[in-house]
Amino acid sequence: MNGIQKTGRMGWENYVEMSKLKLEPLERLDLRKCKTVGSIVLAMNQCSFGARMLGEVALKMRRWVEQGAKVRVVYDGTPLRDLFERMQKRGWIHDIVRSDALPASKPSGYEHLVVGRYSESADDAVNRLSGAIVINKEELSRPGQVRDGFFPDAVFADPTFILPVLESALTEWIDSRPSSIDDLFRELFKYQAGQRIVEGAETLHQMVIDKECIVFLTLSGAMTIAKMGLVICDMVDLGMVQVISSTGALMAHGLIEGVGLRHYKHNPAHPDTFLAEHKLNRVTDTLEPEENFSHIEEIVDEVLSKFDGKEPISPSMFHDAIGEHLSKHFPNDRGILKSTFEKHVPVLCPAFVDSEIGNDLYVHNVRRKRDGRPPVIVWPEVDSELLIRKMTGTKRAGIFSVGGGVPRNNTQNVAPLIEIANERLDLDMPTRMFTYGCRISPDAMHHGHLSGCTYSENGSWRKMDLEHGHFAEIRADATQVWPLVVRYVMDRIEK
């Protein structure tokens, strides 16, 4: 309520309206409060996207166990057999069957956990398992179970990652034995997907503790809508990153969080036409009240008014000014741009106009022109100079990427930019490549876009030092993996 009260009458009306619609407010995942696997998974239940899927399924499993339900696992694979046998010995599951045995079995009296791919001949039998949980990376589910913006009882991710997480969380919740990230990672390392996660966490740790390395964090996707904003704050506050490159939308939604405004869980009973009538903007399974943008527009307009418009400014200069405003007027709130301002971490945005803040800039400049004042030109090219200075001013560089897109590619492009500038302008800047790299993205390389671009491919452009560097690629949903990776590094920093 603190942030809503601060925003005045409009904020209170927003709160009342959301209460009438019975919408559930979401909470940012706070790793300062979540130090164990169970506490992180519990917090994911109030987040968005894959994190919420994992959190909700974990809590449903917990209810099944606590209610003494007979849980049948449907699984055709072999890697997770030992894990399921451990769960069976604890009494958490009743039996394990192959999918081709389902048509001949009686589903009544059981709750079903369907893990991984299953035989096509079992489709009809699986489709009859009302209330079953499905965990697979192929997006298999019962007809009608998953709809646009609503995906209950499902986690679409690698089961060899999800099941060890579930086992760790249940051990904590049912047996009162807290599971550390180290405990989880030892189990994950038994599986190929888990090894990539452990390697990614260690790669981030290595670049963070390398005193001669500057770390670039690149962000794409709706990570602040996903309630990962405090994860970014922690990375900044604890000195894990020295430069950020982000989408404009991600920073806009982060600004909304930073002044205490809320996002809400989408109620599938409300169709998108209803949401449009009530000015509730949907982002997958999450709602952004239009009124939130009115609040931040006031802040953006006030900050932009301080620039005289005589020379272009960069996105990092704009973000720094916003951070200064937040530090002064919202000293007790945590926000990304507040943290970056206080820790002197520039925030670049190579596609600045592609956001609500870009819309605010347009409106602000129309007002300035009406008043006879020069417009404020936000020119991303100005930050290219900053990028070069940061890259040439360090002995080694690391890059940690969530998703891909323009933020990732623009940052990595600094290496060939230096090379090209030297050649074409007869300069003598020291050439640089990235020594460390870790990316979290579910996209495959064969799609041919930047989110799936491999570090090996980057090496062909002389962006990555493949011969001497250390690189890790995690094919997963960042909302499920990123908090675990950062908590792993936080544990080591605290020690």
Side-chain angles (χ1 to χ4, degrees):
M1 287 291 292
N2 289 339
I4 294 172
Q5 289 171 338
K6 284 175 188 171
T7 58
R9 181 174 172 273
M10 287 182 67
W12 175 252
E13 289 178 351
N14 176 282
Y15 174 75
V16 171
E17 180 68 14
M18 297 308 104
S19 299
K20 288 180 180 178
L21 294 176
K22 297 182 179 180
L23 295 180
E24 177 185 343
L26 302 177
E27 300 292 340
R28 291 180 290 179
L29 196 158
D30 190 349
L31 289 176
R32 294 184 181 181
K33 299 177 181 177
C34 301
K35 299 189 176 183
T36 63
V37 177
S39 62
I40 292 173
V41 173
L42 188 62
M44 286 180 175
N45 183 59
Q46 293 183 288
C47 297
S48 306
F49 316 144
R52 182 188 300 162
M53 297 172 81
L54 174 54
E56 289 182 346
V57 160
L59 287 177
K60 184 167 184 175
M61 281 288 298
R62 179 182 184 175
R63 288 194 297 272
W64 282 353
V65 173
E66 291 177 339
Q67 293 168 2
K70 293 173 67 176
V71 179
R72 171 181 285 162
V73 173
V74 180
Y75 180 58
D76 290 352
T78 56
L80 291 168
R81 285 282 170 176
D82 289 344
L83 183 148
F84 287 134
E85 288 176 4
R86 290 198 301 269
M87 295 177 74
Q88 191 171 17
K89 287 180 181 178
R90 290 175 173 175
W92 297 349
I93 62 176
H94 185 268
D95 61 357
I96 311 163
V97 301
R98 290 182 54 84
S99 64
D100 53 16
L102 270 183
S105 65
K106 296 181 179 180
S108 61
Y110 289 94
E111 302 290 358
H112 288 84
L113 174 63
V114 184
V115 178
R117 292 189 300 270
Y118 46 82
S119 168
E120 290 182 5
S121 62
D123 272 344
D124 290 341
V126 172
N127 293 343
R128 290 194 297 269
L129 300 179
S130 177
I133 293 172
V134 296
I135 300 175
N136 60 73
K137 59 184 179 181
E138 291 79 22
E139 301 181 19
L140 300 171
S141 62
R142 304 185 310 279
Q145 176 182 353
V146 172
R147 304 197 296 275
D148 187 0
F150 185 58
F151 20 80
D153 304 331
V155 185
F156 296 137
D158 194 312
T160 61
F161 161 61
I162 297 298
L163 266 300
V165 173
L166 288 179
E167 183 187 32
S168 294
L170 290 173
T171 298
E172 187 167 331
W173 297 339
I174 305 298
D175 296 343
S176 299
R177 287 165 39 202
S179 298
S180 69
I181 300 298
D182 281 357
D183 295 333
L184 172 63
F185 279 15
R186 277 192 289 271
E187 179 65 23
L188 283 178
F189 204 75
K190 298 176 182 178
Y191 312 99
Q192 186 175 15
Q195 288 174 14
R196 302 290 86 79
I197 295 170
V198 176
E199 290 169 1
E202 186 53 34
T203 300
L204 175 60
H205 180 230
Q206 288 301 316
M207 65 176 98
V208 166
I209 64 174
D210 186 339
K211 297 185 183 300
E212 296 183 299
C213 175
I214 186 172
V215 180
F216 295 81
L217 171 64
T218 76
L219 302 165
S220 66
M223 290 299 108
T224 40
I225 285 280
K227 316 313 293 178
M228 299 291 122
L230 291 182
V231 177
I232 301 171
C233 288
D234 282 328
M235 294 187 77
V236 173
D237 294 338
L238 295 174
M240 295 186 196
V241 298
Q242 287 71 52
V243 181
I244 293 177
S245 182
S246 170
T247 63
L250 198 150
M251 283 299 133
H253 296 302
L255 177 56
I256 284 166
E257 293 180 332
V259 298
L261 296 169
R262 311 300 293 268
H263 297 113
Y264 297 86
K265 182 177 180 179
H266 170 47
N267 183 343
H270 298 153
D272 287 315
T273 50
F274 174 91
L275 299 179
E277 291 171 2
H278 288 76
K279 293 189 176 182
L280 295 170
N281 305 301
R282 183 166 67 85
V283 182
T284 311
D285 59 356
T286 303
L287 301 180
E288 174 79 86
E290 184 71 28
E291 193 179 66
N292 285 353
F293 296 132
S294 298
H295 289 301
I296 67 164
E297 191 270 339
E298 295 172 7
I299 295 174
V300 171
D301 190 67
E302 181 178 343
V303 170
L304 287 173
S305 294
K306 296 177 181 179
F307 292 99
D308 58 25
K310 292 180 180 179
E311 292 186 3
I313 66 172
S314 68
S316 67
M317 294 167 63
F318 167 78
H319 287 136
D320 203 44
I322 291 286
E324 184 177 13
H325 178 94
L326 296 180
S327 186
K328 180 179 179 180
H329 296 284
F330 296 84
N332 298 319
D333 289 293
R334 296 185 69 196
I336 298 168
L337 294 178
K338 177 173 178 286
S339 288
T340 56
F341 168 74
E342 293 174 348
K343 295 297 182 179
H344 308 290
V345 174
V347 179
L348 288 63
C349 185
F352 183 80
V353 297
D354 185 22
S355 70
E356 180 63 29
I357 291 177
N359 296 345
D360 294 341
L361 172 67
Y362 175 84
V363 172
H364 173 83
N365 278 336
V366 171
R367 290 178 182 146
R368 289 174 75 112
K369 291 174 183 177
R370 288 176 178 175
D371 295 337
R373 301 177 62 199
V376 177
I377 304 301
V378 180
W379 192 14
E381 181 64 19
V382 178
D383 276 335
S384 294
E385 294 284 349
L386 185 150
L387 200 56
I388 290 174
R389 288 198 308 273
K390 292 291 185 180
M391 193 67 169
T392 57
T394 184
K395 186 174 181 179
R396 286 182 291 278
I399 183 169
F400 184 86
S401 296
V402 175
V406 177
R408 179 189 179 204
N409 195 60
N410 180 253
T411 301
Q412 293 175 166
N413 189 55
V414 68
L417 175 59
I418 293 169
E419 184 179 305
I420 289 169
N422 281 342
E423 178 182 334
R424 297 176 184 175
L425 300 174
D426 196 25
L427 301 177
D428 191 28
M429 293 185 290
T431 56
R432 292 284 187 271
M433 290 189 288
F434 286 92
T435 304
Y436 304 96
C438 175
R439 72 178 180 101
I440 306 175
S441 174
D443 298 278
M445 69 180 81
H446 59 262
H447 293 310
H449 53 62
L450 295 173
S451 296
C453 173
T454 63
Y455 285 125
S456 180
E457 179 182 325
N458 294 150
S460 74
W461 290 81
R462 299 173 301 287
K463 298 176 182 178
M464 306 294 157
D465 187 352
L466 300 180
E467 185 176 356
H468 304 101
H470 189 183
F471 302 94
E473 307 188 42
I474 303 173
R475 288 277 308 280
D477 184 322
T479 66
Q480 297 169 348
V481 172
W482 186 16
L484 302 175
V485 169
V486 173
R487 184 67 252 181
Y488 173 88
V489 179
M490 288 175 69
D491 288 345
R492 276 144 185 77
I493 290 175
E494 291 173 1
K495 290 177 182 178

